Amino acid sequence: MTLAQAPGGYTVEAAFAGDSAYTASGDSKAFTIRRKATKTSYGGPGSSDFYDAFAASATLGGLTGGGPVVGRTVTLTLGTGDSCSGVTDASGSVACSITPTQAAGA
């Protein structure tokens, strides 16, 4: 069974309609769908010159199974305010441009 519902609380039920030899019966239990754990890995450069744009990149993957997380917005932020955002592609990757506006060593 593949779950398509949003994370949250549900009830799971099992039911047997009965037949000519057996009576009907059923049972239900509380069931919780948890959000999947993710891992974000930065893949861009470790330095850039003041006001020289650089390509920031990251990969978003699931911890269980390790596959890519597709179609989600990832924000990359440098220091206090220089940032860009993008949507992950089929490989869970995102890239965008950041122009550093902070003085060296800030």
Side-chain angles (χ1 to χ4, degrees), residues 3-101:
L3 302 175
Q5 296 89 340
Y10 295 90
T11 300
V12 62
E13 299 176 346
F16 173 63
D19 60 21
S20 61
Y22 296 94
T23 63
S25 64
D27 191 22
S28 64
K29 299 282 187 219
F31 188 87
T32 301
I33 299 175
R34 295 181 304 271
R35 296 187 316 168
K36 289 185 175 185
T38 61
K39 179 180 180 183
T40 305
S41 300
Y42 176 73
S47 65
S48 180
D49 292 328
F50 186 64
Y51 274 106
D52 285 347
F54 68 94
S57 63
T59 302
L60 179 62
L63 288 180
T64 305
V69 177
V70 179
R72 299 300 195 269
T73 300
V74 174
T75 301
L76 296 109
T77 304
L78 172 67
T80 56
D82 299 332
S83 66
C84 63
S85 296
V87 176
T88 55
D89 61 17
S91 65
S93 297
V94 62
C96 54
S97 179
I98 295 178
T99 302
T101 60

